[in-house]
């Protein structure tokens, strides 16, 4: 493909000095594609390596085991099937550090290794050690209740789950419900895939989210790692249930019109050896860089060697596996900033100087890996969605690969939740800076789609505070009854909780994300069982039961979140161009903007209300209120008449051709939002 760099840099002249580096990056990507074609028959075949590595059952029920262990002296297979004999089943050494073992079927023509059998790879090192390992390609691993180490379990069910429903079409507006299966229950235990399917999916559908981002699915030995210390990359976490139950979860989500993204952790891996990738063949490298380059000092984890051919095979096939076997619809790539730079973002403030994004500090191998991943995923799966968790602001992150970008569809707008926390921690209500808030919401490159969020799982973790906690703190335990009048803390907290979410939803990006439970102001933080809390599950749960009664005000926040999503689904502001902001008045504490032919009006003033407030309008016509945070059903005070119609006047205002006089705009942190009705004069 011809790559014309001067076209890219017409829009951003300051990047022209880095043109040669960008050309080199694209050249490395093209070289890898060519090598894949020559050596493997193309990326389609290469990324299906999960069909040849690990364990494969042949049509005659013979079994083929294949591993890559370049530093090993010898490999054997042991397990239930051979009475845990360490020497009866040796692998044969092949080229390029690969090992193979063929086991014929039993006399009755059934496989020699049956479904649910336990297995181990026995690795003999050149130093004379004997190591017991789990295959990196293991599709299922489990842990006995009293054991610390996970076991490799051969998963080959006689009746595998068959998907019944097609994938939904890619949504025009992405509304993401970030979810963790294990905490998705009010009960103090590890919840299951089946619980999520039957009890949580209906809530997500009711709330109006059209996408689920599933965390902690790749198997991780340490539950409290939140899934970010992966030990088995091809195994769906067994603590939540079986692979078939996860497939059913995704299938049922698809039947509801909801797509499902996987939280993909390819930025690093657990340091575990017996049940992880680390030192699989006895060396300190194999899948990772050797020495200090293979260590992440803050995360205490191992770093992949993205220049290794077999590491590329493993990681790219891993992405393909989750899309093909489980029918995920895309990925949220974790820790992309750590991947992009040799310094992993540690100690780097990223001032915005473009020199920070180029040069020797950039890990070109990781760049090429991400380009390959996005190119392959979007080529093979037209509707696949990829989201980057990237905090540095790397340019071209969301540009198509053929234009020299990394090829992501979206990036997380990570500055927005930081801004809300900063405001709530450091400023009184009357000191909020409207211009600064609007700047944070809109500070993104034109055409680079962002996922906006007021808070995610990061803010829910113990040691931090959710927005609800910052706003209402201990009052949430004693004063959330709907049977008594709201006190000033609860009143302020409920109104701001709604306003912060809608402003983020409508102004902050081209997609929206919410972490499960935060939509209704979940009253407790998230803390997984650990020694420091006596292995308690009390905080490792989501109390959905709180919204199932109208005696508590949590259902009012839930109802607003639901109607906010449903209103967006009707008008589609997330899929629209960026908003046209007409007012960010510091004295009045008012923000007004138009997006997708919808007028949004926010009054953040703690005491002042306004009547007959003139609002700039683009399209002329009649307007009606479509969503009002002051509604009684949302815990508001019901001070606006929804039967009122507002007509524009051909009076230029704020550089727009028309304007109208808005109705009463409530103080005490209430606002009203005016949605355009059918335009007519």
């Amino acid at each position: 493909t011809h790559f014309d760099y001067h076209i890219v840099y017409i829009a951003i002249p300051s990047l022209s000095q880095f043109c040669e580096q960008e050309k080199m990056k694209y050249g490395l990507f093209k070289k890898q594609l060519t090598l894949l074609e020559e050596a493997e028959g193309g990326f389609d075949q290469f990324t299906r390596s999960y069909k040849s590595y690990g364990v494969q059952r042949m049509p005659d029920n013979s079994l083929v085991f294949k591993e890559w262990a370049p530093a090993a002296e010898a490999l054997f297979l042991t397990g239930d099937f051979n009475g845990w004999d360490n020497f009866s089943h040796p692998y044969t050494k092949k080229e390029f550090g690969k090992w193979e073992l063929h086991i014929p079927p039993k006399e009755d023509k059934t496989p020699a290794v049956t479904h649910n059998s336990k297995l181990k790879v026995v690795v003999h090192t050149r130093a004379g050690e004997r190591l017991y390992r789990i295959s990196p390609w293991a599709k299922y691993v489990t842990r006995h209740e009293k054991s610390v180490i996970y076991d490799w379990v051969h998963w080959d069910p006689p009746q595998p789950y068959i998907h019944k429903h097609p994938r939904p079409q890619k949504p025009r507006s992405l509304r993401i419900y970030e979810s963790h299966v294990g905490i998705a229950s009010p009960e103090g235990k590890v919840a299951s895939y089946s619980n999520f399917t039957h009890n949580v999916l209906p809530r997500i559908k009711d709330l109006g989210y059209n996408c689920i981002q599933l965390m902690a699915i790749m198997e991780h030995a340490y539950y409290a790692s939140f899934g970010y210390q992966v030990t088995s990359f091809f195994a769906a976490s067994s603590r939540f249930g079986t692979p078939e139950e996860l497939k059913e979860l995704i299938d049922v989500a698809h039947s509801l019109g909801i797509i499902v993204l996987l939280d993909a952790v390819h930025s690093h891996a657990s340091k575990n050896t017996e049940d992880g990738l680390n030192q699989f063949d006895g060396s300190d490298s194999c899948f990772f860089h050797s020495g200090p380059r293979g260590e992440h000092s803050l995360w205490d984890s191992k770093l992949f060697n993205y220049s290794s051919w077999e590491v590329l095979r493993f990681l790219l096939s891993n992405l393909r596996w989750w899309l093909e076997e489980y029918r995920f619809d895309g990925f949220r790539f974790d820790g992309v900033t750590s991947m992009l730079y040799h310094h992993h973002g540690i100690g780097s403030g990223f001032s915005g100087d473009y020199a920070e994004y180029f040069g020797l500090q950039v890990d070109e191998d990781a760049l090429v890996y991400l380009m390959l991943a996005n190119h392959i995923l979007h080529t093979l799966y037209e509707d696949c969605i990829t989201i980057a968790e990237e905090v540095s602001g790397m340019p071209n992150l969301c540009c198509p690969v053929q234009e020299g970008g990394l090829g992501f569809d979206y990036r997380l707008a990570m500055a927005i939740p930081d801004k809300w926390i900063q405001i709530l921690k450091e400023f009184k209500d009357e000191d909020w800076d409207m211009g600064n808030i609007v700047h944070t919401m809109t500070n993104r490159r034109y055409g680079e789609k962002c996922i906006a969020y007021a808070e995610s799982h990061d803010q829910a973790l113990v040691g931090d505070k959710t927005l609800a906690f910052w706003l209402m703190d201990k009052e949430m335990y004693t004063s959330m009854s709907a049977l008594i009048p709201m006190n000033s803390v609860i009143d302020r907290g409920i109104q701001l909780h709604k306003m912060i979410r809608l402003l983020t939803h409508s102004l902050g990006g081209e997609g929206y994300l919410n972490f499960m439970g935060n939509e209704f102001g979940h009253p407790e933080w998230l803390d997984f069982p650990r020694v420091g809390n006596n292995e308690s599950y009390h905080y490792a749960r989501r109390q959905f039961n709180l919204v199932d009664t109208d005696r508590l005000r949590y259902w009012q926040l839930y109802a607003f979140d639901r109607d906010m999503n449903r209103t967006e689904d009707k008008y589609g502001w997330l899929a629209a161009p960026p908003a046209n902001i007409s007012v960010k008045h510091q004295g009045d504490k008012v923000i007004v903007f138009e997006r997708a032919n919808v007028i949004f009006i926010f009054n953040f003033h703690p005491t002042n209300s306004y009547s007959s407030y003139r609002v700039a309008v683009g399209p002329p016509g009649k307007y009606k209120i479509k969503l009002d945070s002051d509604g009684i059903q949302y815990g508001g005070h019901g001070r606006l008449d929804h039967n009122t119609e507002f007509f524009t006047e051909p009076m230029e205002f704020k550089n727009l051709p028309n304007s109208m006089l808005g109705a009463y705009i409530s103080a005490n942190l209430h606002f009203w939002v005016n949605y355009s009705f059918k335009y007519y004069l």
Side-chain angles (χ1 to χ4, degrees):
T1 303
H2 177 62
F3 189 77
D4 196 345
Y5 281 85
H6 74 269
I7 292 178
V8 174
Y9 292 115
I10 287 174
I12 314 176
S14 60
L15 288 179
S16 59
Q17 60 182 303
F18 306 110
C19 186
E20 290 304 317
Q21 294 181 49
E22 288 291 271
K23 286 182 180 179
M24 182 178 66
K25 178 185 74 176
Y26 188 77
L28 292 171
F29 160 74
K30 292 293 291 183
K31 181 181 178 181
Q32 280 287 18
L33 278 185
T34 302
L35 289 174
L36 284 174
E37 193 70 40
E38 293 173 351
E40 302 279 349
F43 60 73
D44 187 14
Q45 186 68 25
F46 186 65
T47 56
R48 291 182 185 272
S49 293
Y50 58 82
K51 291 191 172 184
S52 56
Y53 283 72
V55 53
Q56 308 295 329
R57 179 161 58 87
M58 299 294 104
D60 65 350
N61 278 341
S62 62
L63 297 171
V64 178
F65 294 80
K66 185 175 182 179
E67 302 294 347
W68 176 65
E73 186 68 23
L75 254 64
F76 297 85
L77 185 71
T78 188
D80 294 336
F81 77 102
N82 67 0
W84 295 98
D85 189 315
N86 287 333
F87 299 100
S88 62
H89 288 79
Y91 285 72
T92 301
K93 190 173 185 178
K94 302 292 184 179
E95 290 184 305
F96 310 114
K98 297 170 186 176
W99 302 79
E100 287 188 9
L101 166 63
H102 294 251
I103 303 180
K106 293 189 286 190
E107 289 185 4
D108 62 1
K109 304 301 181 183
T110 60
V113 181
T114 58
H115 172 59
N116 264 332
S117 296
K118 290 184 178 180
L119 299 167
K120 287 280 187 183
V121 178
V122 185
V123 179
H124 288 251
T125 72
R126 292 165 188 169
E129 296 176 289
R130 183 191 299 169
L131 308 173
Y132 295 90
R133 296 289 187 255
I134 290 176
S135 169
W137 303 80
K139 299 178 178 67
Y140 192 54
V141 298
T142 63
R143 181 179 65 85
H144 189 272
E145 185 177 351
K146 295 183 179 180
S147 174
V148 175
I149 305 300
Y150 273 73
D151 295 310
W152 175 17
V153 175
H154 177 53
W155 190 258
D156 187 16
Q159 294 181 320
Y161 185 86
I162 298 174
H163 288 87
K164 305 175 183 64
H165 304 284
R167 298 178 190 268
Q169 290 185 334
K170 181 190 293 188
R172 64 168 187 166
S173 297
L174 206 57
R175 302 183 297 275
I176 303 171
Y177 199 74
E178 186 184 32
S179 304
H180 185 287
V181 169
I183 66 170
S185 164
E187 299 181 62
K189 64 179 184 179
V190 178
S192 66
Y193 294 125
S194 294
N195 167 73
F196 198 94
T197 301
H198 297 106
N199 298 322
V200 183
L201 284 181
R203 294 182 186 273
I204 297 172
K205 176 65 175 178
D206 179 62
L207 280 165
Y209 291 94
N210 55 22
C211 176
I212 299 168
Q213 180 181 302
L214 277 184
M215 308 175 66
I217 295 300
M218 294 177 173
E219 190 60 272
H220 47 293
Y222 184 42
Y223 188 40
S225 76
F226 225 146
Y228 292 122
Q229 293 277 345
V230 177
T231 46
S232 291
F233 283 76
F234 285 82
S237 182
S238 61
R239 57 172 55 86
F240 310 136
T242 68
E244 311 312 300
E245 289 166 338
L246 174 57
K247 292 174 185 177
E248 181 186 27
L249 186 162
I250 296 170
D251 197 26
V252 173
H254 286 169
S255 75
L256 298 173
I258 300 171
I259 65 171
V260 187
L261 306 182
L262 176 70
D263 215 344
V265 186
H266 282 186
S267 49
H268 65 134
S270 168
K271 294 177 73 171
N272 287 18
T273 53
E274 287 191 57
D275 54 8
L277 291 182
N278 192 20
Q279 299 180 27
F280 173 69
D281 63 356
S283 71
D284 76 333
S285 54
C286 198
F287 289 94
F288 309 113
H289 289 291
S290 62
R293 190 179 175 189
E295 306 278 343
H296 196 294
S297 60
L298 287 184
W299 296 345
D300 193 32
S301 55
K302 299 294 292 184
L303 297 171
F304 286 105
N305 179 2
Y306 301 107
S307 67
S308 165
W309 189 264
E310 293 303 319
V311 171
L312 289 179
R313 182 195 305 279
F314 181 79
L315 293 177
L316 292 172
S317 296
N318 185 239
L319 297 174
R320 191 83 185 272
W321 161 259
W322 292 106
L323 292 180
E324 289 285 339
E325 184 71 13
Y326 288 92
R327 295 178 64 88
F328 279 95
D329 301 289
F331 303 95
R332 179 265 204 182
F333 281 75
D334 173 70
V336 171
T337 303
S338 176
M339 298 173 70
L340 293 178
Y341 306 97
H342 292 297
H343 54 63
H344 310 300
I346 301 172
S348 298
F350 295 110
S351 66
D353 186 336
Y354 278 105
E356 296 172 336
Y357 307 123
F358 302 93
L360 297 178
Q361 68 267 33
V362 175
D363 189 333
E364 292 175 347
D365 296 329
L367 276 176
V368 171
Y369 166 68
L370 291 171
M371 293 173 76
L372 282 170
N374 278 306
H375 173 74
I376 291 168
L377 291 172
H378 290 105
T379 301
L380 295 174
Y381 307 93
E382 184 180 359
D383 287 342
C384 180
I385 293 173
T386 59
I387 302 170
E389 187 212 24
E390 207 288 299
V391 72
S392 77
M394 168 69 77
N396 293 337
L397 186 80
C398 295
C399 286
V401 173
Q402 62 268 26
E403 294 179 14
L406 271 66
F408 286 97
D409 295 296
Y410 298 88
R411 77 182 315 147
L412 290 178
M414 301 180 72
I416 294 177
D418 290 345
K419 175 56 64 177
W420 286 125
I421 296 299
Q422 180 206 7
I423 289 171
L424 293 175
K425 284 175 65 174
E426 299 179 6
F427 296 98
K428 298 177 181 178
D429 296 352
E430 59 269 24
D431 295 331
W432 286 23
D433 187 329
M434 298 296 102
N436 185 252
I437 291 173
V438 168
H439 172 76
T440 302
M441 293 291 157
T442 58
N443 185 23
R444 56 190 185 272
R445 297 182 182 95
Y446 185 84
E448 184 174 70
K449 294 192 288 187
C450 291
I451 303 295
Y453 58 105
E455 54 184 342
S456 69
H457 70 274
D458 288 325
Q459 288 73 39
L461 288 170
V462 65
D464 205 338
K465 284 185 178 182
T466 62
L467 291 180
F469 247 118
W470 281 112
L471 290 163
M472 294 177 280
D473 206 71
K474 65 181 185 299
E475 294 288 334
M476 300 176 71
Y477 294 112
T478 59
S479 305
M480 283 293 277
S481 171
L483 304 179
I484 60 175
M486 287 186 290
N487 63 33
S488 59
V489 173
I490 295 297
D491 192 0
R492 170 188 181 271
I494 284 181
Q495 313 320 325
L496 275 179
H497 196 273
K498 293 177 289 185
M499 294 176 70
I500 286 170
R501 276 171 153 64
L502 183 56
L503 185 64
T504 303
H505 200 303
S506 56
L507 191 59
E510 290 67 41
Y512 178 75
L513 178 142
N514 165 66
F515 179 63
M516 62 188 312
N518 286 359
E519 72 278 1
F520 63 83
H522 195 278
E524 290 177 338
W525 56 87
L526 178 61
D527 189 14
F528 288 92
R530 54 189 174 85
V531 174
N533 64 13
N534 296 318
E535 303 295 336
S536 171
Y537 285 89
H538 180 75
Y539 296 108
R541 60 193 181 117
R542 296 279 94 177
Q543 298 179 63
F544 292 113
N545 54 299
L546 295 176
V547 299
D548 293 336
T549 172
D550 58 6
R551 290 179 295 177
L552 296 174
R553 295 194 180 276
Y554 295 104
W555 73 267
Q556 297 169 343
L557 295 176
Y558 177 99
F560 182 78
D561 198 80
R562 175 197 64 206
D563 291 352
M564 175 176 67
N565 283 321
R566 291 181 179 181
T567 307
E568 195 288 326
D569 188 60
K570 181 176 181 179
Y571 293 98
W573 60 72
L574 288 170
N580 185 347
I581 301 159
S582 58
V583 175
K584 42 185 176 180
H585 197 289
Q586 180 62 12
D588 293 347
K589 293 288 187 284
V590 169
I591 297 172
V592 181
F593 57 89
E594 179 182 330
R595 190 175 184 190
N597 295 328
V598 177
I599 307 297
F600 296 83
I601 305 175
F602 295 81
N603 177 14
F604 281 96
H605 204 287
T607 57
N608 290 357
S609 299
Y610 308 101
S611 59
S612 300
Y613 204 90
R614 184 162 293 278
V615 174
V617 180
K622 181 177 70 172
Y623 288 74
K624 295 189 70 174
I625 297 172
K626 293 296 179 179
L627 183 65
D628 171 17
S629 76
D630 197 36
I632 297 292
Q633 69 274 34
Y634 308 136
H637 299 273
R639 288 171 284 192
L640 297 180
D641 181 1
H642 287 212
N643 294 318
T644 303
E645 295 179 338
F646 304 90
F647 293 88
T648 62
E649 305 173 63
M651 179 187 297
E652 184 176 345
F653 187 63
K654 302 289 185 180
N655 297 319
L656 289 176
N658 300 286
S659 62
M660 62 185 178
L661 291 176
Y664 181 75
I665 307 177
S666 306
N668 298 319
L669 305 170
H670 305 300
F671 72 98
W672 63 280
V673 185
N674 215 19
Y675 287 87
S676 86
F677 195 58
K678 190 74 176 177
Y679 300 136
Y680 60 89
L681 291 174

